[in-house]
Amino acid sequence: THSVMSTQTGIFVKDKDFGWLPANVISHEDQNGTVKVAVSTPDQNAGLDQVKEERTVKLKDYEANTLPLQNMDEGGNVIVVPDMCDLPSLHEAAILYNLKSRHETYKPYTRVGDIVIAMNPFHWIDIYSQQ
């Protein structure tokens, strides 16, 4: 059976604590409808450190029995854009991770076409002029 998911494909998996987590496909079993993935979870006790673990996810738990793809360029780098209409894959996890990445780099405004999403940076950022 053919699958569009290949080994090391960057995807997102559902997580009860974090909502969505980025992961990579390790293997895919068509007959069981399961995918083994490598997930990096934030270690809440150690700040930004990551805890790596393997999980088996059931495709039936995802819309259209498909894991949502991460937006990555040819070099394997995460794509972060100021207008989310420019994301190759637009879904809940991609929206949340694009907003998170922009927030971490002090970019409080993100567009979705004609809509602007403003996130509170929780501190002063020098992006405004006297004009």
Side-chain angles (χ1 to χ4, degrees):
T1 306
H2 178 68
S3 172
V4 295
M5 283 186 289
S6 64
T7 303
Q8 298 302 314
T9 298
I11 46 88
F12 290 102
V13 294
K14 294 178 183 177
D15 183 84
K16 64 180 178 64
D17 296 320
F18 298 101
W20 293 96
L21 289 172
N24 290 78
V25 173
I26 297 171
S27 65
H28 181 223
E29 295 187 24
D30 285 334
Q31 68 273 16
N32 296 336
T34 60
V35 178
K36 186 181 283 187
V37 298
V39 180
S40 295
T41 59
D43 184 346
Q44 294 181 355
N45 297 323
L48 299 177
D49 291 340
Q50 302 281 310
V51 176
K52 302 213 185 284
E53 64 181 61
E54 285 187 12
R55 295 184 187 178
T56 300
V57 297
K58 297 177 184 175
L59 292 177
K60 70 177 184 171
D61 295 337
Y62 295 84
E63 186 175 330
N65 295 325
T66 303
L67 297 170
L69 293 173
Q70 290 183 44
N71 291 298
M72 309 198 62
D73 63 18
E74 296 82 24
N77 303 304
V78 175
I79 298 171
V80 179
V81 295
D83 186 341
M84 289 193 280
C85 288
D86 296 332
L87 287 173
S89 296
L90 188 61
H91 46 74
E92 179 183 350
I95 291 168
L96 293 172
Y97 271 84
N98 192 71
L99 289 170
K100 178 180 183 273
S101 295
R102 290 184 53 79
H103 180 75
E104 288 171 346
T105 57
Y106 307 111
K107 296 176 182 153
Y109 302 110
T110 304
R111 296 175 52 98
V112 184
D114 292 337
I115 300 167
V116 175
I117 299 172
M119 294 186 57
N120 186 343
F122 295 105
H123 70 276
W124 179 257
I125 52 177
D126 200 18
I127 61 172
Y128 305 104
S129 69
Q130 293 296 324
Q131 300 171 350

